[in-house]
Amino acid sequence: MMTERQRRFREEYQAQISPWYNGLVHIGVMYGVGLTAIAWCVSRMQDATWEWLLVIPVFAFSNWFEWWIHKYVMHRLVDVFALRAIYDRHTRQHHQYFTNNEMTVDSTREFRIIFFPWRALTTFMAFGVPFALALGWAINPNAGYILMVTIVGQYLIYETFHYCCHVHENWFVRNMPFVNTIRRHHTAHHNQGLMMERNMNLTFPIADWFMRTSDLDRGLLGHIFNGYSEEHLKPEVRASVERFREREPHQVA
Ligand SMILES: [Zn+2]
Ligand SMILES: [Zn+2]
């Protein structure tokens, strides 16, 4: 089910994608660069052992950072060139292209509206490098490489999970642990009544649980393994979703 407004937005958006754009090249380069960076870091390590424990704090920080950037950059209008562009691309475009009424794509050209542009991965890597160098200096080089592996790995998980949120329903996304959880979580986020404040994680809803921005009322493990269940929806969320549904103008099939 798509509203007329959403259908028109999709038509206009698709019409302005460059004829040179190729969705498979877009994600091929992204995964290629990301996986190569990971492989290179791993190949440079020497007998890393306990240093792998660093994955835990870096993963936790990345999870919170993903929450923060989604809530405070992608959904907040700040009139500074790059920040404004990110807001436009996400709140104005991504969230009009996909609503909880229609979340899916049919073609690889539409990868343009799901995956970040190449510069996102480059920017995250560039942010990571000074910290990796600092760890390399303060602890040892293995620690620095493990930091980079975790950051890039987390980015690729983000893109992969977000893509899984916007494909047609299938056996894999319905049954795969973590993927089914984030798919429901993110579909709820795409409800325009909830998008500015709820369900900001796109990988594992840990920061949403911790910061109390989730639409669910349950513990951490319940959050992570929730799957498609709507049993634990907060009552106020249920009400706001219903209210928003009523406001939707004439739906077309
Ligand atoms: Zn989305
Ligand atoms: Zn959003």
Side-chain angles (χ1 to χ4, degrees):
M1 288 281 261
M2 217 189 292
T3 59
E4 184 60 25
R5 174 193 160 103
Q6 186 177 8
R7 197 187 54 72
R8 220 175 301 123
F9 180 83
R10 284 184 167 216
E11 261 174 31
E12 281 162 22
Y13 184 89
Q14 284 171 19
Q16 53 86 38
I17 297 176
S18 155
W20 295 97
Y21 177 78
N22 181 307
L24 293 176
V25 172
H26 178 182
I27 69 166
V29 169
M30 180 198 84
Y31 282 106
V33 170
L35 293 173
T36 304
I38 290 175
W40 183 79
C41 289
V42 171
S43 78
R44 302 281 298 174
M45 289 179 202
Q46 284 170 345
D47 306 317
T49 51
W50 67 270
E51 294 98 322
W52 281 106
L53 288 174
L54 282 168
V55 167
I56 298 168
V58 178
F59 168 82
F61 178 80
S62 305
N63 189 276
W64 174 83
F65 183 72
E66 154 195 315
W67 176 92
W68 181 85
I69 204 167
H70 189 183
K71 186 164 169 55
Y72 291 108
V73 179
M74 291 156 78
H75 280 290
R76 180 179 287 180
L77 176 58
V78 180
D79 211 357
V80 174
F81 178 69
L83 298 180
R84 197 200 162 93
I86 294 171
Y87 170 87
D88 278 345
R89 195 183 165 99
H90 187 74
T91 303
R92 295 239 165 89
Q93 298 179 4
H94 185 76
H95 273 281
Q96 284 210 64
Y97 204 96
F98 301 111
T99 66
N100 56 322
N101 290 320
E102 180 48 74
M103 282 284 283
T104 61
V105 292
D106 297 305
S107 71
T108 56
R109 280 187 74 69
E110 295 171 274
F111 286 179
R112 174 87 175 56
I113 188 78
I114 299 181
F115 294 92
F116 284 129
W118 289 338
R119 59 184 173 276
L121 175 58
T122 332
T123 307
F124 289 128
M125 290 204 289
F127 272 134
V129 166
F131 293 98
L133 291 172
L135 277 186
W137 174 78
I139 304 176
N140 64 35
N142 286 342
Y145 290 124
I146 286 167
L147 176 106
M148 288 308 291
V149 166
T150 312
I151 290 179
V152 176
Q154 173 85 359
Y155 179 79
L156 296 183
I157 292 171
Y158 177 108
E159 293 284 31
T160 308
F161 277 26
H162 187 215
Y163 174 68
C164 287
C165 294
H166 291 294
V167 297
H168 286 285
E169 177 72 4
N170 63 55
W171 183 90
F172 177 79
V173 295
R174 189 168 49 243
N175 293 293
M176 182 70 189
F178 307 127
V179 171
N180 53 14
T181 292
I182 205 61
R183 192 168 150 90
R184 187 214 64 83
H185 189 83
H186 190 60
T187 303
H189 170 72
H190 269 278
N191 179 294
Q192 297 196 338
L194 300 186
M195 71 171 179
M196 300 309 263
E197 62 216 42
R198 301 263 176 195
N199 295 8
M200 295 303 180
N201 276 124
L202 276 137
T203 56
F204 309 93
I206 301 171
D208 274 316
W209 166 78
F210 186 73
M211 304 300 289
R212 303 182 174 278
T213 48
S214 163
D215 64 342
L216 300 180
D217 184 13
R218 63 184 314 194
L220 176 58
L221 280 181
H223 261 88
I224 296 178
F225 293 102
N226 180 74
Y228 279 10
S229 169
E230 295 193 328
E231 207 187 313
H232 299 270
L233 273 189
K234 289 176 180 160
E236 72 269 23
V237 169
R238 213 183 280 274
S240 119
V241 169
E242 290 306 319
R243 217 172 28 246
F244 190 81
R245 245 183 225 137
E246 281 163 21
R247 278 212 316 261
E248 290 266 281
H250 0 275
Q251 300 204 318
V252 294

